[in-house]
């Protein structure tokens, strides 16, 4: 188990489409363990592999509010059905640090995926979990939540993050 570095916008890597995973092996499970550690440490409630620089269709999520952790692992998650009704949440993203915006998405989604052991599963998600799953699946397509904002708002955020990055890089050098 290890904490990996989270890539932040702007980074062309985050815009890549992630590849399908063929079979869940020990290497995949090691990556999922690391992703979970990285997500809890951040802290966040969802993380896609591309955010730690691995372009594979893998996401981890834990929306439990209690002390007890309830991690969920999704390999090759695919949305089968989306609800016609929408829900709005104020979203943030570990790859878009310090920025939040209200984003409207379908309030329910039905997905299929492979679990931690490589078994095929289905899940009907509602509420926060449904939003979180859709946000993470977007990452696998190279989409960030700021892409849903107006050009003006998005450009403002990206500029701000670029500046922050330059300052951070200066300290490292
Ligand atoms: Ni995100």
């Amino acid at each position: 188990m290890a904490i990996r570095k989270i890539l932040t916008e702007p980074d062309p890597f985050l815009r890549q489409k992630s590849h399908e995973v063929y079979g869940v092996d020990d290497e995949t499970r090691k990556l999922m363990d690391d992703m979970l550690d990285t997500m809890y440490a951040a802290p966040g409630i969802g993380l896609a592999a591309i955010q730690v620089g691995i372009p594979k269709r893998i996401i981890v999520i834990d929306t439990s509010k209690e002390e007890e952790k309830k991690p969920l692992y999704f390999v090759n998650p695919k949305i089968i059905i989306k609800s016609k009704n929408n829900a709005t949440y104020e979203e943030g993203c570990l790859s878009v640090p310090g920025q939040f915006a209200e984003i409207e998405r379908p309030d329910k989604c039905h997905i299929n995926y492979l679990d931690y052991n490589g078994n095929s599963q289905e899940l009907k998600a509602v509420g926060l979990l449904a939003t979180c799953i859709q946000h993470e699946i977007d990452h696998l397509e190279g989409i960030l939540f700021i892409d849903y904002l107006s050009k003006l708002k998005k450009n403002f955020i990206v500029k701000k993050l670029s500046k922050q990055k330059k300052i951070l890089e200066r300290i490292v050098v």
Side-chain angles (χ1 to χ4, degrees):
M1 302 261 244
I3 291 171
R4 303 203 186 192
K5 186 179 180 280
I6 298 175
L7 304 178
T8 58
E9 173 79 350
D11 187 322
F13 210 80
L14 290 170
R15 299 312 191 161
Q16 267 195 52
K17 235 180 148 175
S18 294
H19 312 293
E20 199 155 321
V21 176
Y22 296 101
V24 179
D25 54 13
D26 285 345
E27 194 194 325
T28 311
R29 275 186 282 272
K30 164 87 173 71
L31 171 62
M32 291 195 280
D33 292 343
D34 284 358
M35 284 169 63
L36 204 69
D37 275 356
T38 306
M39 182 189 84
Y40 286 138
I45 60 170
L47 191 73
I50 188 76
Q51 293 179 273
V52 292
I54 312 285
K56 290 183 179 174
R57 302 187 80 83
I58 300 171
I59 63 182
V60 293
I61 290 176
D62 190 343
T63 56
S64 63
K65 286 191 185 87
E66 308 90 59
E67 288 287 295
E68 200 192 326
K69 288 173 179 164
K70 286 180 187 145
L72 296 170
Y73 309 88
F74 303 94
V75 177
N76 300 335
K78 203 176 155 198
I79 295 174
I80 316 167
I81 309 164
K82 274 184 195 177
S83 160
K84 286 188 184 107
N85 298 322
N86 288 338
T88 304
Y89 280 91
E90 191 173 29
E91 294 187 24
C93 177
L94 294 174
S95 293
V96 189
Q99 303 299 318
F100 300 89
E102 286 192 350
I103 306 292
E104 200 178 70
R105 298 182 189 269
D107 67 351
K108 294 185 195 90
C109 64
H110 186 169
I111 62 163
N112 64 28
Y113 61 98
L114 300 178
D115 66 15
Y116 192 81
N117 297 308
N119 297 319
S120 186
Q121 302 280 358
E122 283 192 20
L123 174 74
K124 284 177 182 166
V126 297
L128 176 63
L129 181 60
T131 288
C132 195
I133 286 172
Q134 292 172 75
H135 175 119
E136 298 311 327
I137 290 178
D138 271 356
H139 276 298
L140 307 183
E141 299 300 317
I143 299 166
L144 299 175
F145 79 91
I146 52 172
D147 299 348
Y148 297 106
L149 303 175
S150 69
K151 253 195 175 154
L152 197 75
K153 274 189 192 162
K154 183 184 160 180
N155 288 344
F156 180 76
I157 290 173
V158 174
K159 255 189 202 165
K160 217 168 158 181
L161 291 171
S162 307
K163 269 188 201 162
Q164 280 174 10
K165 244 187 180 179
K166 275 181 195 150
I167 290 166
L168 282 175
E169 277 161 13
R170 227 179 278 156
I171 293 165
V172 172
V173 172

